[in-house]
Amino acid sequence: MAEDKTEEKQQLTIPIEGMTCASCVRRVERALKKVPGVSEATVNLATERATVKFLPGQVAIADLRRAVDDAGYRLREVAEEERDAEAEAREREQRTLLTKLLFAGAIGGLLMLGAQHQHIPLLADIPVRWINVVSFLLATPVQFWAGWQFYLGTWKTAKHFTADMNTLIAVGTSAAYGYSIAATFGPGLFEAAAIETSVYFETSALIIALILLGRWLEARAKSRTSAAIKRLMGLRAKTARVVRDGREQDIPIEQVAPGDVVVVRPGEKIPVDGIVLEGRSAVDESMISGESIPLEKGPGDEVIGATINKVGSFRFRATKVGKETVLAQIIRLVEEAQGSKAPIQRLADVVASYFVPAVMVVAALTFVVWLIVGPSPALTYALLSAVAVLIIACPCALGLATPTAIMVGTGKGAESGVLIRGAEALETAHRVQAAVMDKTGTITEGRPRVTDVLAGDGQPDEVLRLAASAERGSEHPLGEAIVTAAQEKGLALAEAQDFVAVPGLGVQAQVGGRQVLLGNLSLMEQRAAKLNGLAATAEELLAQGKTAMFVAADGQVLGVIAVADTVKESAQEAIANLKAMGIEVIMLTGDHHRTAEAIARQVGVDRVLAEVLPEDKAKQVRDLQREGRVVAMVGDGINDAPALVQADVGIAIGSGTDVAMEASDITLIRGDLRGVATAIALSKKTIQIIRQNLFWAFFYNVALIPIAAGILYPLFSRTGVPGGLEPFFGEFGFLNPILAAVAMAFSSLTVMANSLRLRRFKATA
């Protein structure tokens, strides 16, 4: 299962500042996991958040903060109401990046002109020494102001004897910048060694500008990946009109307390969840249910925060506020899913943890090899090759490959009414081979009605009265249907005593001094009740797809009551969609075989598991798993919870119970069964995107690091570089470090753009 349901553990999600690549993620996770009492730590580069599970009595926030600080990063605690402040901070970061980018880009452009001064009439006569001095003055603020974040990150990791993306950039640009300073202010050292000198101030400045460009575009793309959260948060009302001290007053929504009486006028958003006290209206609940037709609301009805009151005004009592509202829980689930880590990402994180040190070794070897055997000027080519290796190998794309796709995928799911609790569930769902569906409340509406009352002695009202009296107060859907039918006929019900529910069989109770049994044939046989020739009648009703219940009093069956449940409109289409995807659909029910098979034929299910007791549902799922199948369980009731936990993927109908939703990996908040196919299709598409991202991230480094190291030199040294490639490779096929910076930024943006393609995913419901 995707979620650790150990009650003793507490989960906390906090922002982490200063992470830049997958190796940062690995380092922060290791630091957090070393804190005593922490059982699990997951860090997401795309959301820049850490999700930590720990034992509250053993771990304090200060311990987590200290661990993150010691690792070279910063933990910033954000409360629920401070999300807007966090969004503002992210916007400020984007503005800062853009300012530094424009500055570095402008200076880099001027330095490029300086590097070509001999071809520019106004600059051609200026001595090279003075051009170099001016270039130094221009490049220095770019190096140490625009590029300061790279040095800061390098220092933080160096204190812990580690390295990350900042290290590669800082070392690479500093090498070009330092070499250029030496060539500008100590040319005699090079001349004495008969080494030709050049300066590369424009190289270091443009590399910094291009990396800042990549960072800025990444920051913008990250904000787009979390668009679903922003839209959900935008649904919330800002204020509420409550009755306090006998008068109405508008207060911020954060100040509404459970028990407050809230007034809602036409056209307003309902601020929090509650129960209507007085007044009537029609409420648009499409943001939850997906239904465009407003629902009538009156006294006793539930209303949901962020839904829209259409016509009338009413008052309701607040029952759930703040983090407890339906919308807040949806937002929390989406955030947790976006911050979780798919198993497929763990390989990338492990690789990234060794990647940066390996790249630094490769860069050092590249420098030494070309310094010894490279063409003249060997020092220049050795330096530029080493810088190109350092710059091109930044593992940003590895760190972003999975989390960006997870963010977009889970966000798209939420918009489609599919809440995915974690990345592991999203990854597992694409492998589902069998979908087990509970019948009542999942395939059917779960609101059965009495269709037939047949009595052996010709007194159907007495049969109905006894059955309804026995079921009075029952919460079972079949019992409620019988009681409703008796009330509609105006029958006087008696008080039942010694009520006992017999799981999977029926009920027994004392009604007016008579021992009444209400249940299936197995219950009658178990209690040795005489059927009085009504078994055949029950068989006929079962053949029609109805649930037939025997009513017995004092050991004699008096009649049969038939109850039918309505199949959901979406059920047949949903099951057809799953079968078209190659998934076997299995219906699971406690009903008689004949009834179950009639429903199955109606919706197109080929395999039925009937007369399954509630406690055996999980066993049925387990048996399918033992066959080697990846199983999804779809249910809505409390008795479905064990099976939902047992399944590889538990899918709860959102209109069902809180217990079922808590036990599940995926929740269909609109109660539409077509959401099962949507969830699986979304999983398949997301995993496809992740695999593409990881392929390109690995392929990019495998292919381009050797090119940056000069592997093309043996080819181009004999044939020369084709004219069209000279701006990229130079005379002997050595990669221009500026092009390396472009390629590095492009790799990350490719991953982000590929992930954003998920926003075009079309739901089946």
Side-chain angles (χ1 to χ4, degrees):
M1 294 295 293
E3 194 72 17
D4 183 356
K5 298 179 177 68
T6 305
E7 293 182 2
E8 293 80 6
K9 293 176 184 175
Q10 181 176 330
Q11 179 170 298
L12 183 67
T13 302
I14 47 263
I16 303 292
E17 294 182 350
M19 297 189 300
T20 55
C21 64
S23 57
C24 301
V25 169
R26 184 82 170 167
R27 192 171 303 112
V28 175
E29 285 183 346
R30 282 203 303 262
L32 289 171
K33 288 176 181 176
K34 288 180 181 177
V35 177
V38 171
S39 62
E40 185 178 339
T42 303
V43 177
N44 189 306
L45 178 62
T47 60
E48 297 176 323
R49 287 176 175 266
T51 300
V52 184
K53 291 182 180 178
F54 59 94
L55 297 173
Q58 299 183 22
V59 181
I61 299 298
D63 299 326
L64 302 178
R65 188 184 304 278
R66 186 162 48 251
V68 173
D69 289 343
D70 289 345
Y73 303 89
R74 181 169 175 261
L75 181 154
R76 179 163 57 86
E77 190 173 352
V78 177
E80 185 81 13
E81 62 272 10
E82 293 175 339
R83 282 200 183 99
D84 291 341
E86 184 184 8
E88 291 176 5
R90 288 178 179 269
E91 290 179 4
R92 283 197 301 272
E93 178 189 8
Q94 288 187 45
R95 288 195 297 269
T96 300
L97 285 171
L98 181 59
T99 301
K100 290 185 174 183
L101 162 63
L102 294 175
F103 176 79
I107 297 298
L110 292 175
L111 293 173
M112 282 288 288
L113 292 176
Q116 303 296 322
H117 71 281
Q118 67 272 22
H119 304 299
I120 301 174
L122 295 177
L123 303 178
D125 296 332
I126 300 177
V128 173
R129 177 178 176 81
W130 290 110
I131 292 288
N132 290 348
V133 169
V134 172
S135 296
F136 161 74
L137 295 174
L138 290 173
T140 299
V142 174
Q143 192 73 30
F144 297 107
W145 177 69
W148 177 248
Q149 63 200 73
F150 308 126
Y151 287 102
L152 184 62
T154 299
W155 168 247
K156 287 180 177 179
T157 55
K159 288 192 299 182
H160 303 281
F161 305 102
T162 58
D164 64 5
M165 170 185 166
N166 291 307
T167 308
L168 299 181
I169 297 170
V171 171
T173 59
S174 295
Y177 176 77
Y179 174 85
S180 300
I181 290 178
T184 298
F185 297 103
L189 297 174
F190 295 89
E191 292 169 359
I195 297 174
E196 182 180 339
T197 60
S198 298
V199 296
Y200 297 97
F201 289 120
E202 82 285 356
T203 299
S204 63
L206 286 175
I207 286 173
I208 289 173
L210 287 166
I211 292 171
L212 289 172
L213 172 63
R215 290 270 182 97
W216 177 67
L217 291 173
E218 280 178 24
R220 291 193 65 192
K222 284 177 184 177
S223 66
R224 291 177 65 193
T225 60
S226 59
I229 288 288
K230 292 179 181 177
R231 280 193 286 270
L232 287 170
M233 292 177 65
L235 294 174
R236 298 179 302 182
K238 302 296 184 184
T239 62
R241 173 161 292 194
V242 300
V243 179
R244 289 183 178 174
D245 300 325
R247 62 187 182 87
E248 297 180 4
Q249 53 182 296
D250 290 328
I251 62 173
I253 192 171
E254 294 80 10
Q255 296 179 16
V256 179
D260 276 342
V261 175
V262 183
V263 180
V264 184
R265 293 171 295 189
E268 292 182 339
K269 283 185 179 179
I270 297 172
V272 296
D273 298 1
I275 303 292
V276 177
L277 296 175
E278 58 183 75
R280 306 195 72 87
S281 184
V283 176
D284 179 359
E285 294 187 348
S286 58
M287 53 82 66
I288 295 292
S289 66
E291 294 292 337
S292 58
I293 301 175
L295 298 178
E296 294 293 329
K297 299 289 182 179
D301 291 334
E302 293 184 4
V303 289
I304 300 172
T307 56
I308 300 173
N309 180 34
K310 301 296 287 185
V311 288
S313 61
F314 59 89
R315 296 187 177 201
F316 72 93
R317 187 176 304 282
T319 56
K320 294 180 180 179
V321 301
K323 298 179 182 180
E324 302 302 318
T325 64
V326 171
L327 180 62
Q329 291 182 51
I330 290 173
I331 292 173
R332 175 180 59 81
L333 285 171
V334 176
E335 284 183 328
E336 287 178 359
Q338 292 189 339
S340 61
K341 179 173 294 184
I344 197 172
Q345 174 66 18
R346 290 167 191 157
L347 172 63
D349 288 348
V350 171
V351 170
S353 66
Y354 299 102
F355 186 76
V356 173
V359 167
M360 296 189 72
V361 170
V362 171
L365 290 174
T366 298
F367 179 83
V368 171
V369 168
W370 293 122
L371 185 62
I372 296 172
V373 303
S376 179
L379 177 60
T380 296
Y381 283 114
L383 174 70
L384 293 181
S385 297
V387 170
V389 169
L390 290 169
I391 297 303
I392 207 167
C394 292
C396 301
L398 281 176
L400 294 170
T402 297
T404 51
I406 294 294
M407 285 181 69
V408 181
T410 53
K412 190 65 182 178
E415 292 175 12
S416 304
V418 178
L419 284 184
I420 301 168
R421 293 177 67 90
E424 188 171 345
L426 186 64
E427 181 173 337
T428 305
H430 86 284
R431 298 188 290 111
V432 167
Q433 299 164 307
V436 179
M437 294 187 178
D438 180 56
K439 180 182 77 71
T440 304
T442 301
I443 292 177
T444 64
E445 294 287 354
R447 295 190 296 272
R449 60 184 179 85
V450 172
T451 58
D452 303 271
V453 180
L454 303 174
D457 59 2
Q459 297 183 4
D461 284 356
E462 178 62 13
V463 171
L464 182 59
R465 187 189 72 82
L466 286 173
S469 297
E471 287 280 14
R472 194 173 186 183
S474 171
E475 295 182 356
H476 193 284
L478 299 181
E480 290 180 352
I482 291 171
V483 172
T484 299
Q487 290 174 340
E488 288 175 351
K489 297 194 72 171
L491 301 180
L493 304 185
E495 289 292 335
Q497 297 176 336
D498 300 328
F499 176 88
V500 177
V502 185
L505 300 177
V507 301
Q508 68 178 41
Q510 287 282 342
V511 178
R514 305 178 74 180
Q515 182 71 29
V516 175
L517 294 175
L518 173 65
N520 57 23
L521 181 61
S522 297
L523 179 63
M524 299 301 120
E525 292 175 343
Q526 185 185 98
R527 302 303 170 86
K530 294 182 179 180
L531 298 178
N532 296 324
L534 290 170
T537 302
E539 285 293 318
E540 292 176 5
L541 295 169
L542 289 171
Q544 299 171 25
K546 300 174 181 178
T547 299
M549 292 178 288
F550 294 93
V551 182
D554 301 326
Q556 299 288 331
V557 173
L558 304 180
V560 179
I561 297 178
V563 178
D565 195 0
T566 306
V567 172
K568 289 183 177 179
E569 291 183 6
S570 62
Q572 188 171 1
E573 181 183 346
I575 291 166
N577 289 340
L578 289 170
K579 291 169 72 173
M581 297 168 71
I583 297 170
E584 182 184 11
V585 181
I586 302 164
M587 189 173 78
L588 186 66
T589 179
D591 285 351
H592 189 276
H593 277 284
R594 297 281 294 277
T595 303
E597 287 170 359
I599 296 293
R601 285 194 299 271
Q602 189 176 345
V603 296
V605 172
D606 299 322
R607 184 174 176 183
V608 177
L609 300 175
E611 297 185 20
V612 178
L613 298 177
E615 59 268 26
D616 291 335
K617 288 185 177 182
K619 178 181 179 299
Q620 295 290 342
V621 172
R622 192 159 47 247
D623 289 344
L624 288 168
Q625 291 171 322
R626 285 172 180 160
E627 296 175 9
R629 320 278 289 280
V630 178
V631 180
M633 172 67 194
V634 188
D636 74 319
I638 291 175
N639 57 18
D640 295 327
L644 290 168
V645 174
Q646 176 63 44
D648 298 285
V649 181
I651 303 176
I653 302 297
S655 53
T657 66
D658 291 340
V659 174
M661 287 188 280
E662 191 62 31
S664 67
D665 298 303
I666 298 172
T667 300
L668 310 181
I669 56 177
R670 295 174 182 171
D672 192 323
L673 208 54
R674 289 174 294 183
V676 178
T678 294
I680 295 173
L682 180 60
S683 170
K684 290 179 182 290
K685 188 63 177 178
T686 302
I687 294 303
Q688 179 188 15
I689 293 290
I690 288 173
R691 286 173 175 164
Q692 290 171 355
N693 287 349
L694 288 173
F695 169 79
W696 287 113
F698 280 113
F699 175 81
Y700 160 84
N701 284 296
V702 170
L704 293 187
I705 288 178
I707 293 176
I711 197 173
L712 297 179
Y713 171 73
L715 173 64
F716 290 148
S717 62
R718 293 191 299 268
T719 64
V721 177
L725 298 179
E726 283 186 358
F728 306 117
F729 290 100
E731 184 180 357
F732 294 107
F734 290 97
L735 186 67
N736 188 325
I738 294 175
L739 180 63
V742 173
M744 190 276 287
F746 181 75
S747 69
S748 297
L749 295 177
T750 299
V751 165
M752 301 291 286
N754 194 41
S755 297
L756 288 170
R757 290 196 303 121
L758 277 169
R759 297 177 69 181
R760 299 199 297 267
F761 175 82
K762 299 294 185 183
T764 57

